[in-house]
Amino acid sequence: MAGYDYTSGVWQFEGYGYVPSGTTGVSIMQVFGAGETATTLMLHVYDGALRYYDRQLVEDAIYDRWFRLNVVHDVEVSTLTVYIDGEQKLHVHGRGGDSHYFKFGVYAQNHDSSCMESRWKDVRIFKK
């Protein structure tokens, strides 16, 4: 989202997402900006499961339903917390970097499907 780059503070992404069945091998949300990599957080979808990058399970059975996603990034303590429908699902350390911003949509990753889609509504950004 343009105009929401940040370098300090506590920032929160909130949006309602929907991933149709068949979409796999994609990133649907990112916190861009890190020290040695491009992102400090990526949420991928593989076979209906939402994952932290291609590793840790965040939420199973993500297909064909609206879910509320909140991602809180505390830059000073370098932590990110992910909530699905108000329930904390992930808490990880950041990956450094001097400037960050939120991205959402659909971005091909490893073993991506030929049809890729995510839908978003009511997206908001908060700063504490």
Side-chain angles (χ1 to χ4, degrees), residues 67-78:
F67 57 91
R68 187 179 83 225
L69 173 66
N70 294 81
V71 176
V72 178
H73 185 192
D74 187 328
V75 178
E76 276 71 38
V77 297
S78 189

Side-chain angles (χ1 to χ4, degrees), residues 50-63:
L50 186 65
R51 296 189 172 277
Y52 172 63
Y53 291 90
D54 59 356
R55 298 179 287 277
Q56 184 175 344
L57 179 67
V58 175
E59 178 79 352
D60 204 9
I62 205 77
Y63 283 156

Side-chain angles (χ1 to χ4, degrees), residues 73-92:
H73 185 192
D74 187 328
V75 178
E76 276 71 38
V77 297
S78 189
T79 60
L80 296 107
T81 308
V82 175
Y83 299 85
I84 302 290
D85 296 326
E87 183 178 337
Q88 183 178 322
K89 298 291 187 165
L90 179 73
H91 184 78
V92 294

